């Protein structure tokens, strides 16, 4: 079954930027209008292989076909062919092709900053030192679409316990590989590369905050953030930063790539919240890839029991 995703249902994250960035963009790019409309067209095109299992390899393994709410897993082919990964391209259907052959070995992840015991892990360390579990989570993109993905990985807290944050550490800052030769999207001047994301330390210590090394029982493919990415299931998908090379404990709130690009649109917390619209569209409903129609978006993406305590007493409209 092929599904169509129309541009009216899915608004791309990248089409509008803050006024400041927009002015820089116009100066840098004489053809900015053409670039914007080209991006719009790409998003409106068909995700032809989404939810078709035809291309699924033999070795994909899952223990169950649903998540804890009974929602069906999104097909392997949709999870690996409809992606946001701007280091390759802003075309969701284009990422997999562009990312093919991206080399992830050797790969090292430096964990340091305000810690007693800084460490550099190879990807083999990360796959063998920490028990890899299947973790089935919903991924809700800020654009209004979602998937259910069977990740392989372990809690971020396990790495943090190894490096021992000091009492000054308040936030965790993550960085994607910066290498424009291998990640051609990093030549785009619209964004301040590398991709950066962050969590408050107590959010990072919540067991749902996951470091993923695989999905469907296989190592991650490049389009999904190989070899090592963050998965924060209660926050919009852009917090789940891909292809991480650096994790740093810091004392001030990190500025993410999206906060830098459009601070009025993308906040630090980015908790999934149907009651707080994005400035340009509602967040009340979402399109589950592979389904027709829309379903209601759940507060904290359905993980409120596990995470709502983190925000007790906070105004989640102000801290969006
Ligand atoms: N480095 C990096 N990480 C990223 C992105 C990106 O462009 N670059 N896109 C984010 C967005 S917007 C989403 S919705 C998810 C998509 O993850 P998936 O393609 O594995 O489904 O990755 C997030 N992590
Ligand atoms: Mo996203």
């Amino acid at each position: 079954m092929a599904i169509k995703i129309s541009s009216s249902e899915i608004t791309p994250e990248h089409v509008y930027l803050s006024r400041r960035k927009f002015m820089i963009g116009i100066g840098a790019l004489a053809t900015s209008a053409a670039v914007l409309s080209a991006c719009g067209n790409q998003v409106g095109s068909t995700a032809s292989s989404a939810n078709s299992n035809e291309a699924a390899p033999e070795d994909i393994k899952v223990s169950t076909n649903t998540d804890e709410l009974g929602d069906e897993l999104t097909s392997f082919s949709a999870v690996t062919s409809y992606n946001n990964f701007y280091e390759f391209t802003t075309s969701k259907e284009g990422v997999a092709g562009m990312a093919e052959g991206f080399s992830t070995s050797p790969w090292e992840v430096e964990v340091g900053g305000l810690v007693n015991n800084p460490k550099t892990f190879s990807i083999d360390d990360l796959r063998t030192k920490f028990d890899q579990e299947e973790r089935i989570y919903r991924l809700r993109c800020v654009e209004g679409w979602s998937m259910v993905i069977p990740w392989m990985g372990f809690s971020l807290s396990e790495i943090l316990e190894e490096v021992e944050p000091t009492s000054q550490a308040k936030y965790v800052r993550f960085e994607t590989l910066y290498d424009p030769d291998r990640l051609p999207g990093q030549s785009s001047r619209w964004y301040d590369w590398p991709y950066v994301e962050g969590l408050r330390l107590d959010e990072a210590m919540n067991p749902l905050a996951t470091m993923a090394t695989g999905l469907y029982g296989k190592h991650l493919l490049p389009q999904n953030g190989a070899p090592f990415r963050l998965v924060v299931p209660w926050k919009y998908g852009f917090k789940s930063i891909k292809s991480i090379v650096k994790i740093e404990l810091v004392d001030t709130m990190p500025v993410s790539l999206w906060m830098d690009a459009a601070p009025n649109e993308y906040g630090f917390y980015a908790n999934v919240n149907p009651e707080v619209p994005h400035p340009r569209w509602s967040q009340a409903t979402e399109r589950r890839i592979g389904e027709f129609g829309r379903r209601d978006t759940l507060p904290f993406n359905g993980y409120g029991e596990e995470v709502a305590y983190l925000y007790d007493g906070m105004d989640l409209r102000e801290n969006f």
Side-chain angles (χ1 to χ4, degrees):
M1 179 183 61
I3 59 151
K4 287 206 170 190
I5 298 165
S6 76
S7 53
S8 61
E9 288 173 308
I10 290 172
T11 313
E13 289 173 288
H14 66 272
V15 169
Y16 300 77
L17 296 171
S18 69
R19 188 172 162 76
R20 180 175 66 89
K21 275 284 142 110
F22 189 68
M23 300 313 284
I24 294 167
I26 290 189
L29 267 172
T31 54
S32 57
V35 169
L36 288 175
S37 67
C39 293
N41 290 339
Q42 285 165 344
V43 171
S45 69
T46 305
S48 52
S49 54
N51 248 46
S52 137
N53 273 311
E54 282 157 41
E58 299 286 304
D59 55 340
I60 65 171
K61 292 193 288 293
V62 277
S63 65
T64 164
N65 292 318
T66 60
D67 67 9
E68 84 288 0
L69 300 180
D71 293 4
E72 267 180 52
L73 302 187
T74 304
S75 72
F76 179 83
S77 75
V79 172
T80 56
S81 66
Y82 189 76
N83 303 101
N84 268 335
F85 201 164
Y86 282 22
E87 283 83 340
F88 291 105
T89 168
T90 57
S91 156
K92 285 184 247 300
E93 293 86 356
V95 172
M98 296 278 291
E100 206 178 329
F102 175 68
S103 167
T104 55
S105 128
W107 191 278
E108 288 193 331
V109 182
E110 196 188 318
V111 189
L114 300 170
V115 300
N116 292 324
N117 192 18
K119 274 192 181 171
T120 297
F121 298 93
S122 73
I123 187 61
D124 291 330
D125 293 338
L126 294 165
R127 285 178 183 146
T128 54
K129 218 176 146 54
F130 303 96
D131 287 339
Q132 312 288 307
E133 301 174 349
E134 179 187 73
R135 296 182 167 208
I136 298 174
Y137 294 134
R138 296 170 292 284
L139 176 90
R140 171 45 161 96
C141 177
V142 73
E143 296 166 341
W145 54 268
S146 62
M147 299 190 182
V148 183
I149 304 179
W151 302 104
M152 299 293 302
F154 54 91
S155 289
L156 168 59
S157 65
E158 296 188 40
I159 296 189
L160 298 179
E161 278 157 18
E162 285 259 331
V163 298
E164 295 173 28
T166 68
S167 58
Q168 282 90 54
K170 299 285 181 285
Y171 295 89
V172 188
R173 182 182 181 280
F174 304 85
E175 228 177 85
T176 295
L177 175 70
Y178 180 71
D179 185 348
D181 290 337
R182 291 158 69 201
L183 299 170
Q186 289 177 337
S187 308
S188 157
R189 295 163 70 175
W190 291 86
Y191 300 102
D192 188 18
W193 307 104
Y195 201 101
V196 167
E197 261 307 337
L199 294 171
R200 225 171 48 197
L201 184 54
D202 58 342
E203 298 180 307
M205 292 302 289
N206 184 281
L208 287 189
T210 297
M211 299 310 312
T213 57
L215 57 82
Y216 269 105
K218 288 165 60 72
H219 288 162
L220 289 176
L221 290 172
Q223 57 266 41
N224 294 110
F228 189 60
R229 58 108 40 103
L230 178 67
V231 176
V232 195
W234 71 95
K235 294 179 180 279
Y236 291 117
F238 65 83
K239 297 294 290 184
S240 294
I241 178 174
K242 295 177 168 181
S243 304
I244 293 168
V245 292
K246 195 170 176 189
I247 301 176
E248 217 182 342
L249 281 289
V250 296
D251 59 4
T252 48
M253 183 182 281
V255 176
S256 68
L257 173 135
W258 283 106
M259 290 161 74
D260 174 78
N264 54 324
E265 304 199 3
Y266 303 102
F268 175 80
Y269 284 96
N271 292 315
V272 174
N273 191 340
E275 312 220 312
V276 177
H278 185 280
R280 293 179 281 116
W281 60 85
S282 163
Q283 294 292 21
T285 65
E286 67 199 57
R287 166 66 169 258
R288 182 66 50 83
I289 298 301
E291 290 181 359
F292 296 97
R294 297 180 75 85
R295 44 163 83 214
D296 288 344
T297 287
L298 304 174
F300 300 109
N301 204 21
Y303 301 101
E305 268 180 46
E306 287 90 342
V307 303
Y309 73 92
L310 292 164
Y311 312 102
D312 277 350
M314 271 179 66
D315 179 343
L316 295 178
R317 281 181 185 274
E318 209 169 299
N319 299 283
F320 62 93

